[in-house]
DNA sequence: ACAGTAACCTGTTTGC
DNA sequence: TGCAAACAGGTTACTG
C-alpha cells in the first residue's frame, strides 16, 4: 500500500532515469483507472522533456517543459523502469516510452490515476486544500494541537485526514501512535500540546525511517527496479494482532476505526 | 464545519 | 474440494 515512504522511494528510484529525457510515446492498454487516462495522452506527451520529478502528498508530479503528468499509485500501484519493448503482463496499464527505457504503471486494483495537468499543478483540484508535508519545516506538534481543538474525531482518523496532514495512511498512522504512546481511539481534541509534540516527532521519525528502508512491502509494493522495501520487518503493531508487544510483551489488540483495521498495544498506548 | 460511511476494484484469505 | 463472502485500503462523494 503506497503511502508517503513508498511514493518517495519510487520518486527517488525513477528520477535519475527520467530527468532530462524526452518522451517518445505513450501506450495506454487500459484507461480505466480512478479517473480515465486522457485518450490523447500519447499525442500530448510526445516530444516533451521531463525536467523534474516531485512528490506532493502521495502524488508524483512528472514536470515536463510543457505541462505535468500526475500519477497516483492508489493501493496496489507501482512504477517500474524497464528496457524498451519489455512484454506487458496483466494490469500493466500504461507505458511512457523513452529511447533507452520504459516507465510502466502496474495497478491491479486500479485505484491509481494518471492525469495530464496544463499549467500550475498547485491549483489543480486534487492538490488544493491538502495539509502540510510531514517532513517539511511547517509541520509541528503545535500545528497539530491547534488544528485539533474542538475536534471530536478519533486521533487516528484525524492523523489520516489529508486536509490536516498528508502522506500518513493506515500503516504509518498505527505505527506513529504506538511510538508516541497514544491510544488510536483518543479524541483528537483531548490530547494536550505535549502529546502532539510527541506525535509530530513520531510521525516524522517513522516516515523518515521507512524511506531509509525503501518503504513497506506487504504484498503489492515494489520499487522501480523490482526490489521490495524492508520496513515491514520494523513494524511494531500493524498486522501483529495477538503477537506480543516488542516493548512490554502484552498482546497487540485490533479494533475497527473509521472502516480501517487499527492496531495498538493496550499497555503502551493510552 | 464536522463526523460517519458507501463506493470504487481485484487478488487473496476465510468460512461454510 | 469448491464456491461465496469477507477483507485489504487511498480517496472522493455523499449523508445527516
Amino acid at each position: 500500500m503506497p503511502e508517503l515512504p513508498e511514493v518517495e522511494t519510487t520518486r527517488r528510484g525513477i528520477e535519475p532515469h527520467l530527468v532530462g529525457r524526452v518522451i517518445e510515446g505513450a501506450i495506454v492498454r487500459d484507461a480505466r483507472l480512478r479517473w480515465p487516462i486522457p485518450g490523447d495522452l500519447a499525442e500530448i506527451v510526445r516530444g516533451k522533456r521531463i525536467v523534474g520529478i516531485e512528490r506532493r502528498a502521495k502524488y508524483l508530479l512528472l514536470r515536463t517543459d510543457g505541462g505535468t503528468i500526475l500519477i497516483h499509485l492508489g493501493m496496489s500501484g507501482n512504477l517500474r523502469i524497464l528496457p524498451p519493448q519489455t512484454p506487458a503482463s496483466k494490469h500493466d496499464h500504461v507505458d511512457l516510452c523513452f529511447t533507452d527505457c520504459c516507465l510502466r504503471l502496474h495497478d491491479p486494483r486500479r485505484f491509481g490515476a494518471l492525469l495530464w495537468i496544463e499549467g500550475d499543478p498547485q491549483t489543480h483540484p486534487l492538490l488544493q486544500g491538502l495539509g502540510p508535508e510531514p517532513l517539511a519545516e511547517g509541520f509541528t506538534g503545535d500545528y497539530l494541537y491547534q488544528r485539533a481543538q474542538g475536534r471530536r474525531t478519533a486521533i487516528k482518523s484525524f492523523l489520516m485526514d489529508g486536509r490536516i496532514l498528508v502522506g500518513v495512511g493506515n500503516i504509518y498512522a498505527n505505527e506513529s501512535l504506538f511510538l508516541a504512546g497514544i491510544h488510536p481511539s483518543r479524541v483528537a481534541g483531548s490530547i494536550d500540546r505535549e502529546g502532539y509534540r510527541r506525535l509530530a516527532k513520531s510521525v516524522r521519525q517513522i516516515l523518515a525511517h521507512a524511506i531509509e528502508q525503501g518503504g513497506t512491502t506487504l504484498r503489492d509494493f515494489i520499487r522501480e527496479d523490482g526490489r521490495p522495501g524492508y520496513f515491514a520487518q520494523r513494524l511494531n503493531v500493524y498486522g501483529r494482532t495477538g503477537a506480543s508487544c516488542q516493548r512490554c510483551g502484552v498482546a497487540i489488540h485490533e479494533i475497527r476505526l473509521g472502516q480501517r483495521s487499527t492496531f495498538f498495544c493496550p499497555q503502551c498506548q493510552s
Side-chain angles (χ1 to χ4, degrees):
Chain A
M1 292 107 227
E3 299 183 34
L4 188 151
E6 291 74 38
V7 178
E8 179 62 22
T9 295
T10 299
R11 190 195 71 75
R12 293 179 186 187
I14 65 177
E15 183 176 46
H17 296 275
L18 303 185
V19 172
R21 303 297 159 82
V22 172
I23 304 172
E24 303 293 330
I27 300 169
V28 179
R29 299 184 191 84
D30 192 341
R32 299 172 303 159
L33 297 191
R34 174 89 200 235
W35 300 281
I37 297 174
D40 52 352
L41 182 71
E43 292 78 65
I44 295 173
V45 301
R46 188 171 295 121
K48 301 266 196 319
R49 185 183 298 274
I50 306 276
V51 297
I53 301 184
E54 296 162 25
R55 180 189 56 75
R56 173 73 175 110
K58 296 168 189 165
Y59 296 100
L60 285 171
L61 301 171
L62 280 55
R63 322 253 343 197
T64 78
D65 49 11
T68 302
I69 298 166
L70 173 148
I71 296 176
H72 196 288
L73 298 177
M75 284 185 40
S76 57
N78 60 61
L79 286 171
R80 297 195 61 178
I81 298 287
L82 297 164
Q85 315 292 333
T86 303
S89 44
K90 203 176 180 185
H91 307 307
D92 287 341
H93 305 312
V94 193
D95 288 355
L96 289 183
C97 311
F98 301 84
T99 50
D100 52 0
C101 73
C102 160
L103 178 73
R104 177 166 289 170
L105 176 63
H106 174 92
D107 184 8
R109 272 164 273 187
R110 291 194 276 123
F111 275 28
L114 190 152
L115 298 173
W116 174 253
I117 303 177
E118 264 340 307
D120 183 8
Q122 307 287 20
T123 66
H124 190 278
L126 288 173
L127 301 184
Q128 288 242 317
L130 290 177
E133 289 287 331
L135 296 176
E137 287 295 318
F139 174 67
T140 63
D142 289 344
Y143 162 80
L144 281 181
Y145 175 76
Q146 179 217 322
R147 292 295 303 267
Q149 294 316 291
R151 296 290 300 265
R152 299 289 307 163
T153 195
I155 181 59
K156 176 160 173 269
S157 306
F158 180 75
L159 258 193
M160 292 174 68
D161 184 339
R163 293 164 302 183
I164 302 298
L165 166 68
V166 300
V168 179
N170 201 31
I171 296 173
Y172 298 112
N174 279 298
E175 294 299 314
S176 300
L177 287 165
F178 172 80
L179 197 59
I182 298 171
H183 194 291
S185 301
R186 280 280 297 280
V187 167
S190 76
I191 296 169
D192 65 14
R193 199 178 283 276
E194 191 45 44
Y196 276 115
R197 287 180 177 158
R198 271 204 327 274
L199 184 52
K201 195 176 166 189
S202 299
V203 168
R204 301 174 80 115
Q205 196 176 318
I206 291 281
L207 294 177
H209 191 183
I211 292 170
E212 281 173 27
Q213 299 290 312
T216 300
T217 296
L218 291 179
R219 191 173 300 139
D220 301 303
F221 177 71
I222 52 169
R223 306 197 216 182
E224 88 294 342
D225 56 4
R227 282 182 299 155
Y230 297 107
F231 193 69
Q233 296 155 24
R234 311 296 181 93
L235 297 176
N236 282 298
V237 288
Y238 184 87
R240 299 192 65 246
T241 313
S244 54
C245 173
Q246 281 148 351
R247 187 163 159 265
C248 78
V250 164
I252 300 299
H253 281 206
E254 176 176 357
I255 57 173
R256 300 288 292 180
L257 217 49
Q259 302 170 290
R260 295 290 176 256
S261 298
T262 301
F263 308 88
F264 65 98
C265 170
Q267 173 96 355
C268 298
Q269 296 173 257
S270 54

